[in-house]
Amino acid sequence: MSKLKAVPLALAVLFGGWVGAQEKEPTTPEETEIYKPVPPKVIPGKAGAPPSDAIVLFDGTSFNNWISSRDSTNAKWVLNADGSMTVKDKTGDIQTKQSFGSIQLHIEWKSPAEVQLDGQNRGNSGVFLNGIYEVQVLDNNNNNDTYVNGQVGSIYKQHVPLAMASVPSGEWNTYDIIYHAPVFEKGQKIKSGTMTVIHNGVLIQDHVEIKGTTPYIGWPKNPPHGKGPIKLQDHGDNSRVSYRNIWVRELD
Ligand code: MG
């Protein structure tokens, strides 16, 4: 073998040996078992109740964890005897006192049984993550069509839901939302946020990229931000949307 051929061969043997040392196939079951750290124990809630480590934001008894988004005074929405709340028309959005980054959010909502108005004006509300990224709440039942990137379960004007999974108007829907906040550095977004939404047990947003804010008019914007509140929308057309059983688990 010439010297020229011997050099690459020696390198290959050397490199192959190194790779082999790193990725040697395990020969016992124990080599592929991990014991620590042990994940925390969480007791799941029964029948829709919050799990043991959740922060309960609304349990039907008060608006203690909420304020008006307009002026930070007490939330002006209606507290119902059945443990829910209803948007009070034209009193403005409400938001949590507490701020959050990445979270798992559970929230239940219903459109009024008595249907009125059409398109974007039928049971329009919304759940805003970080106060600025809207997951649409809308009554699209009974062929109430609208632009699909603004229908129920859309990330408003950014992502069309994978399915329309609403229960009939007047019945309770669930949203389970996994939100990962965007990352900013020196005033610039260096990593987009993501959203996963499960609507009544149906995956409707699959880890989609949040392009920015979700305005009615114009492109998404990316103002730098830290943690923010969870905001619920008063769309201003007597939507009469109700909410109940709201809790979060912080992910960072
Ligand atoms: Mg809305």
Side-chain angles (χ1 to χ4, degrees):
M1 187 182 288
S2 74
K3 273 188 181 174
L4 277 175
K5 280 183 184 164
V7 169
L9 182 67
L11 282 174
V13 168
L14 199 65
F15 187 67
W18 179 77
V19 169
Q22 293 295 306
E23 298 183 357
K24 187 169 166 285
E25 175 80 23
T27 54
T28 64
E30 290 79 10
E31 287 174 81
T32 46
E33 294 169 3
I34 296 169
Y35 289 88
K36 284 191 173 164
V38 178
K41 206 167 255 181
V42 175
I43 301 163
K46 283 183 182 147
S52 57
D53 64 345
I55 300 168
V56 175
L57 296 173
F58 182 73
D59 66 1
T61 58
S62 79
F63 283 118
N64 284 350
N65 298 318
W66 300 82
I67 51 173
S68 163
S69 301
R70 276 188 187 160
D71 55 11
S72 300
T73 57
N74 292 339
K76 308 289 189 301
W77 291 11
V78 180
L79 195 62
N80 303 310
D82 68 353
S84 68
M85 61 161 114
T86 301
V87 179
K88 188 170 181 185
D89 195 38
K90 296 189 175 58
T91 59
D93 302 342
I94 65 169
Q95 66 187 51
T96 55
K97 289 178 182 171
Q98 191 172 342
S99 288
F100 301 97
S102 302
I103 51 169
Q104 172 188 351
L105 169 67
H106 175 89
I107 188 163
E108 301 177 18
W109 60 270
K110 72 172 178 181
S111 320
E114 185 196 332
V115 169
Q116 64 178 28
L117 302 177
D118 293 311
Q120 289 286 315
N121 298 321
R122 183 183 295 178
N124 191 331
S125 185
V127 181
F128 287 77
L129 284 298
N130 235 127
I132 48 178
Y133 308 121
E134 182 182 13
V135 180
Q136 176 71 301
V137 169
L138 194 72
D139 184 356
N140 284 111
N141 292 322
N142 308 305
N143 304 313
N144 186 36
D145 296 332
T146 183
Y147 44 96
V148 294
N149 59 348
Q151 75 170 59
V152 63
S154 61
I155 309 301
Y156 188 70
K157 290 200 169 172
Q158 288 184 28
H159 293 286
V160 178
L162 299 169
M164 196 303 230
S166 291
V167 294
S169 310
E171 295 183 18
W172 286 100
N173 290 268
T174 60
Y175 272 171
D176 288 285
I177 299 171
I178 315 297
Y179 165 69
H180 285 281
V183 179
F184 297 89
E185 207 173 85
K186 294 176 185 156
Q188 293 293 316
K189 187 172 79 171
I190 57 165
K191 188 179 178 192
S192 291
T194 61
M195 201 100 76
T196 297
V197 182
I198 296 172
H199 183 189
N200 296 325
V202 178
L203 180 67
I204 60 164
Q205 298 287 353
D206 186 6
H207 197 67
V208 295
E209 178 187 1
I210 300 168
K211 297 171 184 169
T213 55
T214 52
Y216 178 40
I217 300 170
W219 298 123
K221 307 292 187 299
N222 285 283
H225 63 77
K227 293 184 173 186
I230 296 163
K231 190 186 278 190
L232 303 178
Q233 184 182 40
D234 167 21
H235 195 255
D237 41 24
N238 196 24
S239 73
R240 299 161 298 145
V241 171
S242 300
Y243 291 95
R244 72 176 184 187
N245 195 17
I246 307 171
W247 51 262
V248 295
R249 297 177 67 244
E250 293 183 294
L251 303 179
D252 58 10

